[in-house]
Amino acid sequence: MAGETSAPAVPQQDSRRERIAFAIGVAGWLVPGLGHALMKMWGRAVACFLTVGVLVILGAGMRGNVFNSSGNDAFDSLGYLADLGTGTFYVLARALERDGSDVSRAEGDYGTRFLATAGVLNLLAALHAYEVARGRKA
Amino acid sequence: MNVGPGFKLTHLQAMLLFALVISIAFGFLSRRKPIERVKYIVWSLFLFFLIGVGIGWAMYPFSR
């Protein structure tokens, strides 16, 4: 009888853990490093925050292209998705780039890559935090 | 290359800075022990530099 009553608790616990892991993943996407910080992985949290932040500040400083939702082709849309990966730092990038992008020079092109990399890197970090919260990674 | 007030970068410096930041992120995400992280960061940075310069030289004949 004891086995019958305790059996449903395991899926319920798994479901709760899954929800918490999802929330941690979303938090990590919105604010770089927050997902790891919520799990008290301070080194990784600081590293994520600083690396994504540095890439965004440099990318915007180089006047890289911060894509928006009204892209003309697939590359613009993919760039927008990559830039959105930085979460709230996307707003920071737009705020920093008051004069708009200038990809007619090499530094503007570099800046575009820096911004896109910051987004993809943050998505990778958020996914890592999600997997750790699920217990799949150490 | 001018990044903000008084901050100038050459192509090589931009590539190295990019490589350093990415290597640090990868090192912290993929390794737990500090010594392993340092080893990973140094090795990753070295490979970024080697492959970047290698690709640069490979493109050199087509630049003129």
Side-chain angles (χ1 to χ4, degrees):
Chain A
M1 287 299 277
E4 284 175 22
T5 51
S6 63
V10 177
Q12 200 175 11
Q13 209 172 17
D14 280 353
S15 167
R16 186 171 176 269
R17 187 174 194 171
E18 192 70 34
R19 281 202 303 273
I20 290 171
F22 183 75
I24 283 173
V26 171
W29 165 63
L30 283 175
V31 181
L34 182 60
H36 289 99
L38 288 171
M39 291 183 291
K40 296 181 178 167
M41 301 169 106
W42 306 115
R44 282 172 174 163
V46 170
C48 289
F49 186 84
L50 288 181
T51 50
V52 174
V54 164
L55 284 172
V56 166
I57 289 168
L58 283 175
M62 289 173 174
R63 296 184 68 185
N65 201 349
V66 186
F67 294 98
N68 56 38
S69 56
S70 57
N72 294 321
D73 54 31
F75 290 108
D76 284 359
S77 302
L78 282 173
Y80 177 57
L81 283 178
D83 288 353
L84 270 188
T86 55
T88 49
F89 281 20
Y90 177 79
V91 183
L92 173 74
R94 291 201 75 87
L96 283 174
E97 216 177 65
R98 290 194 197 105
D99 300 331
S101 63
D102 182 7
V103 289
S104 64
R105 299 162 304 122
E107 49 264 65
D109 241 357
Y110 272 110
T112 305
R113 307 295 168 251
F114 273 51
L115 288 164
T117 307
V120 176
L121 190 65
N122 189 41
L123 288 177
L124 182 72
L127 190 65
H128 182 270
Y130 169 71
E131 289 291 305
V132 171
R134 287 180 79 194
R136 285 193 172 187
K137 272 193 176 179
Chain B
M1 193 177 292
N2 193 355
V3 187
F7 188 32
K8 291 184 178 180
L9 291 175
T10 63
H11 289 264
L12 183 69
Q13 286 168 342
M15 188 268 277
L16 278 176
L17 188 61
F18 178 87
L20 179 67
V21 172
I22 300 299
S23 298
I24 290 171
F26 281 178
F28 271 81
L29 284 177
S30 63
R31 297 288 184 271
R32 293 197 75 173
K33 292 179 182 169
I35 188 71
E36 286 179 2
R37 282 177 176 170
V38 172
K39 278 183 191 171
Y40 189 95
I41 290 167
V42 171
W43 181 237
S44 174
L45 183 62
F46 172 70
L47 287 181
F48 261 118
F49 179 72
L50 194 72
I51 294 168
V53 172
I55 290 173
W57 275 106
M59 289 193 298
Y60 180 71
F62 308 104
S63 65
R64 54 183 72 201

